[in-house]
Amino acid sequence: MIRPKREKPGAPSFSKFVQLFGLLMTLVYLGLGLFILFADAETLNLNMTKEFKYILGGILILYGVIRFMKVYQTITKKERRRYEE
């Protein structure tokens, strides 16, 4: 059985960067979805109907929430593993 290498406590890791990037992208998707939902047509400068604007904004917000749940699960799973060791 191959065991993964243990990282030194306090050492910066790539997984921490991935977690922070995941949280940042969550904020980007949520912010973009809210912007599309509440921005008027002149601000967006796009030729789209109101219905499409609401659908696109809702999908981006929903994807942001799902992405946050995945990132949160990975962070808490790693924290639980750290406490169990």
Side-chain angles (χ1 to χ4, degrees):
M1 182 170 166
I2 300 173
R3 291 188 170 197
K5 294 180 182 178
R6 292 190 180 195
E7 298 173 4
K8 295 179 183 177
S13 65
F14 184 71
S15 65
K16 191 70 166 176
F17 171 75
V18 171
Q19 291 172 1
L20 290 175
F21 184 73
L23 289 174
L24 175 70
M25 289 309 296
T26 296
L27 291 175
V28 168
Y29 285 120
L30 289 173
L32 188 60
L34 289 171
F35 177 74
I36 288 175
L37 273 180
F38 296 114
D40 55 348
E42 292 82 30
T43 305
L44 289 176
N45 200 16
L46 296 173
N47 189 14
M48 67 173 72
T49 63
K50 284 186 180 183
E51 292 82 15
F52 184 72
K53 186 174 89 161
Y54 293 141
I55 290 171
L56 182 62
I59 288 173
L60 286 171
I61 291 171
L62 182 65
Y63 183 69
V65 169
I66 291 170
R67 189 171 173 98
F68 174 76
M69 289 171 26
K70 284 185 175 185
V71 171
Y72 182 75
Q73 285 176 351
T74 58
I75 290 172
T76 56
K77 184 188 289 186
K78 288 183 182 185
E79 290 295 322
R80 271 189 253 131
R81 257 192 252 147
R82 188 178 304 159
Y83 289 126
E84 289 175 356
E85 289 179 354

